[in-house]
Amino acid sequence: MKKVIISSFAFLLTSCATQPKDTVNSIGYVYIYSTTSVAIARDRADKLCGSKAYFLDQEYENQKLMQMYHPINNPSIQFNCNLEQAAYSGSTEAKEIKMKTIEAAYKEYYKAQYQLKEVRRKNADPNKYESYTETDPDGAIRSYSFHDNKSCETIVTTDGKAETKCD
């Protein structure tokens, strides 16, 4: 009887062992230990980040795969507070947001570039030859020239190919 009471008390103590607290480290990684639900973990991570936490789905899949072969006592669900770091660490959501932001920036860049070209073309003196050159973020060089109400655009790409278009 004594062995049963002692063994059940020992079992009770080990089953009530506390899990580590949910934590945020200095570089923005959030570790949620208190649940196995990704939706609940996301809510807790958002609160710990103070705004948006990005789910590291590749880390989660790797951890589930490792769990099959080497059981972990306190598995965590990982998030990151920083968009750039989360995209680098394998968050599909963060990568998509980052790519949309980059695409929007390029669209704005090319729109502004076109508007600048049109303003310069309209303001060019028809009796003089005027030109200017720009370098794109990818390293391509664009040269615009205006003379006698005509304009030409020359693009030299990073691999050395050149193309000229005139009105």
Side-chain angles (χ1 to χ4, degrees):
M1 179 71 171
K2 219 179 206 184
K3 287 182 181 179
V4 172
I5 292 172
I6 291 173
S7 62
S8 62
F9 184 67
F11 176 75
L12 181 66
L13 284 176
T14 57
S15 65
C16 292
T18 60
Q19 291 184 338
K21 283 187 156 187
D22 299 340
T23 58
V24 180
N25 70 9
S26 62
I27 55 174
Y29 284 96
V30 179
Y31 301 95
I32 306 295
Y33 296 97
S34 54
T35 184
T36 56
S37 167
V38 175
I40 294 171
R42 179 180 297 278
D43 289 340
R44 291 182 182 163
D46 285 344
K47 288 176 187 173
L48 288 171
C49 283
S51 60
K52 179 75 174 147
Y54 301 96
F55 176 54
L56 302 180
D57 48 347
Q58 289 180 352
E59 288 292 326
Y60 184 69
E61 293 300 322
N62 291 343
Q63 190 175 20
K64 281 175 49 178
L65 189 63
M66 296 255 320
Q67 185 80 4
M68 289 173 43
Y69 301 108
H70 305 288
I72 302 169
N73 291 340
N74 294 313
S76 66
I77 301 176
Q78 296 180 19
F79 294 85
N80 197 300
C81 298
N82 184 330
L83 175 67
E84 299 288 327
Q85 186 68 31
Y88 180 76
S89 298
S91 171
T92 306
E93 174 190 18
K95 285 179 185 175
E96 288 174 5
I97 292 170
K98 186 175 177 187
M99 288 308 296
K100 285 180 184 178
T101 305
I102 290 171
E103 286 175 17
Y106 267 104
K107 285 179 184 178
E108 285 297 315
Y109 171 75
Y110 286 119
K111 182 180 173 183
Q113 190 178 29
Y114 178 77
Q115 289 172 346
L116 177 65
K117 175 187 155 194
E118 288 302 309
V119 167
R120 286 190 171 171
R121 184 177 63 79
K122 287 177 184 176
N123 293 333
D125 186 352
N127 299 323
K128 292 182 183 177
Y129 177 82
E130 294 186 24
S131 69
Y132 70 97
T133 304
E134 294 178 341
T135 304
D136 288 348
D138 63 356
I141 299 171
R142 294 175 181 268
S143 180
Y144 301 96
S145 57
F146 311 103
H147 181 64
D148 208 16
N149 289 328
K150 294 180 183 175
S151 63
C152 290
E153 175 183 5
T154 302
I155 302 172
V156 179
T157 61
T158 55
D159 58 356
K161 294 180 184 175
E163 181 180 336
T164 302
K165 296 178 187 173
C166 294
D167 295 346

